[in-house]
Amino acid sequence: MSLIASWVPLSLAPTAVQALTRSSHALVAHAGKAYVFGGELKPRIPLDADLHVLDLSSGQHSSIQFPSTSSGNVAEAPAPRVGSALAKIGNALYLWGGRGGKDMKPLSGELWKFDLGKKESGDQPEERSYHVLTGVAPNTLYLHAGCPPTGRLSTLHALDLTTLTWRVLTDAPEPGRGGTVLASIPSIGSSGSLIRFGGFAGYELAGPLDIYDIAQNKWESVTPTGETPSARSVHALLGVPNPNTKKEGSGLVAVMYGGERDPAPKELGHDGAGRFLSDVWGLKRTAEGNWTWEKATLKVGSELPQPRGWFASDITDDGKLVLQGGLNENNERIGDAWVLTVEEA
């Protein structure tokens, strides 16, 4: 069975496109809406601290503005930031980390819960940005990789949301990296697994596929069969809800899109743009436990988003990938939004 990719652009009003033009931001899809936070229009200068809301059916845009006041030394809302991460568990959105200004210094490790509008407490891992925050039901956040003040990390932490207690888990295989991905695959392993591919360690990374077994607190690196996707960072890799990995043949467990294949020139760094991808890949797992990559073919008549990286994305409850914003090869921030469906044919 082959994979067919079909893209549909959201119809956004010009005012919505203007408000959402950004990169290095975060997005969570939930109950027919996409929630967008943070990002930059000019390099290393954070935009607003509003929570932008996109209706995935109509394209209607609205925003939630949080108070900018503080009580003593305690802020009542998160500060504007780039390179942060959002995750979803149940009806709550969680925000952690990022960088807050031109000096690109990581913000303090505060965890924010959006449905309460106040900060949670608890001991925090090392400050960083361009990390991954993945929610795993019913009550755990997983924090991985990213960029502290110097270097890049390969650490993995788990936060129990019932006790607000962080645990240090087994480090991922080296090298440390930023701009990577961590897809949640609940159907693999007794308590689910987390899947990593790519990232940036001074150069773009590709395989192998790194798999973290939650129950065993153990990483395994495997090389899937089939064509191997090219190296990339600041891309998307998202687990497909309720994959059928027990049926005959291969079950689609995750979808990967785009990202940066070559970094910006060293003399420009974060002020420049690299070269980007627009390909779609499916990650499959057979009933026997074998992994394989498969490149999706674009559906005849489907539009195609321009190549990009540094965008925000998430998977909907019915398995569609939502893509918003990003940076293109002309060093321009993008304000569009798309919905991707990947089907086996």
Side-chain angles (χ1 to χ4, degrees), residues 164-184:
L164 292 180
T165 301
W166 286 99
R167 288 184 295 131
V168 178
L169 303 175
T170 303
D171 288 356
E174 295 289 343
R177 62 196 70 190
T180 191
V181 289
L182 201 64
S184 174

Side-chain angles (χ1 to χ4, degrees), residues 31 33 36 49 58 84 96 124 126 162 164 229 251 303 307 329 343:
K33 293 182 171 57
V36 175
S58 66
S84 62
W96 195 91
Q124 302 291 336
E126 185 175 2
T162 59
L164 292 180
E303 298 184 55
E329 293 184 357
E343 298 176 309

Side-chain angles (χ1 to χ4, degrees), residues 115-128:
D115 67 348
L116 295 180
K118 64 179 181 181
K119 185 173 54 180
E120 301 289 339
S121 60
D123 295 333
Q124 302 291 336
E126 185 175 2
E127 300 167 359
R128 68 193 74 181

Side-chain angles (χ1 to χ4, degrees), residues 91-216:
N91 293 318
L93 309 181
Y94 294 90
L95 170 72
W96 195 91
R99 298 187 179 191
K102 191 72 174 177
D103 60 1
M104 294 297 276
K105 180 181 178 181
L107 295 163
S108 60
E110 298 172 341
L111 178 71
W112 295 84
K113 185 177 180 180
F114 274 120
D115 67 348
L116 295 180
K118 64 179 181 181
K119 185 173 54 180
E120 301 289 339
S121 60
D123 295 333
Q124 302 291 336
E126 185 175 2
E127 300 167 359
R128 68 193 74 181
S129 60
Y130 299 104
H131 49 286
V132 190
L133 190 67
T134 300
V136 175
N139 62 353
T140 306
L141 294 176
Y142 289 88
L143 171 68
H144 174 56
C147 304
T150 58
R152 299 176 181 90
L153 298 169
S154 59
T155 55
L156 180 67
H157 293 77
L159 176 65
D160 186 320
L161 294 172
T162 59
T163 63
L164 292 180
T165 301
W166 286 99
R167 288 184 295 131
V168 178
L169 303 175
T170 303
D171 288 356
E174 295 289 343
R177 62 196 70 190
T180 191
V181 289
L182 201 64
S184 174
I185 314 291
S187 64
I188 308 300
S190 61
S191 299
S193 296
L194 305 173
I195 308 294
R196 183 182 75 170
F197 179 90
F200 187 76
Y203 53 93
E204 315 295 343
L205 297 164
L209 189 71
D210 297 315
I211 305 168
Y212 176 77
D213 187 299
I214 293 175
Q216 298 186 46

Side-chain angles (χ1 to χ4, degrees), residues 245-331:
T245 57
K246 296 183 173 60
K247 68 180 181 180
E248 184 178 352
S250 296
L252 181 67
V253 298
V255 173
M256 185 163 72
Y257 166 74
E260 187 173 73
R261 64 176 184 176
D262 298 305
K266 289 185 177 181
E267 64 272 17
L268 295 178
H270 195 78
D271 290 330
R275 300 184 67 187
F276 299 108
L277 297 158
S278 61
D279 50 354
V280 174
W281 292 80
L283 179 64
K284 293 182 175 182
R285 189 174 189 266
T286 67
E288 295 74 30
N290 299 316
W291 298 87
T292 184
W293 284 110
E294 183 177 330
K295 189 173 184 179
T297 301
L298 186 67
K299 184 177 181 179
V300 175
S302 174
E303 298 184 55
L304 181 66
Q306 61 179 297
R308 68 188 73 195
W310 307 91
F311 53 85
S313 62
D314 195 16
I315 203 84
T316 64
D317 295 335
D318 58 354
K320 298 178 181 179
L321 187 148
V322 179
L323 163 72
Q324 199 283 310
L327 182 71
N328 66 18
E329 293 184 357
N330 296 322
N331 204 18

